[in-house]
Amino acid sequence: MSSASRDGFIYELLLEKLTKRLNQIEARHKYLSYLINTRFRNEKLLQIEVMIIVSAMDEVIDYLPEKPYPNNPSEKCDVWFKTIDDTEYWGEIKMIPTNYRFSTYYHSKGIKRSIDSLIRDIRRLKANAPRNAEKFVLFTVYPMYEDSYRYFSKQLERISSACCKEVKSPSKRIEVGDACFDIYLIEVQ
């Protein structure tokens, strides 16, 4: 299997299993509904779920959350794992609650500030992960509604620029009532 097809397989498997698990969490606990209604962010949920999924992959021989970057140990990535062919994967995770259709008393940061934080994570990943490593960012955006996408497209342009890869739509989408919980997994160049 070529390097590019192996990476695509790993990312697709991770996305499929994560989407399935998040759907189970919503069905059993209504937790995505809670996140949407409160605009709460819980990146540990994603980090733990990704670590569980990665740990069960036959191709993965080692994994670690919060691994220090080799050239800057004071900084850590959210997810790191290594495959049987010695490829290292370094990833950053972010949950981005939007303020679209915001009508409750809960607080949500403006979307621009959340995207600024994501872009800082992407820059840190690019600057600190080993040059030959596979780098990715996994993030969720919620709640999203049909009329949200025209506004969010400007933020996707900023993310695309930071990743050096065009991003036009989510990798996966989970419908929760009239809202969507969008999942993006982007390889960072």
Side-chain angles (χ1 to χ4, degrees), residues 11-67:
Y11 292 139
E12 191 57 39
L13 185 60
L14 176 57
L15 275 169
E16 288 298 323
K17 290 185 178 285
L18 180 62
T19 303
K20 180 180 178 183
R21 178 65 178 136
L22 290 175
N23 273 309
Q24 289 172 342
I25 289 169
E26 175 60 15
R28 292 178 186 158
H29 306 286
K30 300 294 182 209
Y31 194 71
L32 300 184
S33 296
Y34 166 75
L35 294 175
I36 286 170
N37 291 333
T38 63
R39 306 307 210 262
F40 183 68
R41 73 183 77 234
N42 181 0
E43 291 168 2
K44 282 293 180 202
L45 168 72
L46 287 181
Q47 186 182 40
I48 289 168
E49 293 301 330
V50 167
M51 287 284 88
I52 291 168
I53 292 165
V54 164
S55 71
M57 289 181 178
D58 292 337
E59 300 83 3
V60 173
I61 59 171
D62 202 2
Y63 55 93
L64 194 65
E66 304 293 332
K67 182 172 173 92

Side-chain angles (χ1 to χ4, degrees), residues 47 50-51 54-55 60-70 76-83 86-93 125 128-130 132-136:
Q47 186 182 40
V50 167
M51 287 284 88
V54 164
S55 71
V60 173
I61 59 171
D62 202 2
Y63 55 93
L64 194 65
E66 304 293 332
K67 182 172 173 92
Y69 285 111
K76 296 175 257 346
C77 75
D78 294 323
V79 173
W80 172 88
F81 60 96
K82 186 184 214 180
T83 54
D86 278 341
T87 302
E88 292 186 24
Y89 292 77
W90 294 75
E92 293 289 343
I93 293 175
L125 178 67
N128 293 305
N132 61 342
E134 294 297 322
K135 297 171 253 330
F136 69 95

